[in-house]
Amino acid sequence: IEDDPDIVAVVARLLGNVATISSTPGVREARHKIGQEQVDLVILDLHLADGSGVELLPLLGRRGIPVVIFSVYDVPMNVTSQVAAALVKSSTSNALFVATVTGLLKGCEPTHGHWSI
């Protein structure tokens, strides 16, 4: 869940051979998509055009979907305790990002024979 198309493109390049990547730019659209689609993991930006990604954490938690926060800003401790991982974009290498996501995916069964992010 990311509103910057350049970040979406980078994530797709990094993880495209690992999982099916689907994106949404905002909170409202994400709520709808989470209700309609099976996802194995969510990569979540906190600062979205129509609200905060934090608003989605209760829904994702109820659905048992692991969350990796990938944000420009440091993530407050009360938020990091609700997610599987929290990464700051400027200080996370591509290798660490991929290792974090793939490590979390290995802990869950893929949807329809492949992982969906």
Side-chain angles (χ1 to χ4, degrees):
I1 303 168
E2 172 66 64
D3 58 353
D4 182 336
D6 293 332
I7 297 294
V8 172
V10 169
V11 168
R13 265 196 322 275
L14 292 172
L15 297 172
N17 64 338
V18 174
T20 300
I21 309 296
S22 174
S23 69
T24 183
V27 173
R28 185 177 328 127
E29 192 176 319
R31 278 195 176 106
H32 176 75
K33 199 171 219 181
I34 291 164
Q36 300 296 316
E37 296 179 15
Q38 281 289 104
V39 292
D40 298 302
L41 182 136
V42 166
I43 299 168
L44 178 65
D45 188 12
L46 295 183
H47 299 277
L48 302 166
D50 66 346
S52 171
V54 173
E55 297 172 48
L56 298 168
L57 292 177
L59 172 62
L60 294 165
R62 283 192 303 275
R63 296 205 37 150
I65 300 169
V67 176
V68 174
I69 292 178
F70 194 44
S71 180
V72 170
Y73 304 100
D74 286 326
V75 181
M77 193 60 132
N78 67 322
V79 176
T80 60
S81 65
Q82 300 176 60
V83 299
L87 304 171
V88 176
K89 291 174 182 174
S90 63
S91 61
T92 301
S93 68
N94 289 347
L96 176 59
F97 178 77
V98 170
T100 300
V101 172
T102 56
L104 290 167
L105 287 173
K106 288 179 183 174
C108 63
E109 280 296 310
T111 303
H112 309 297
H114 64 278
W115 285 301
S116 182
I117 298 176

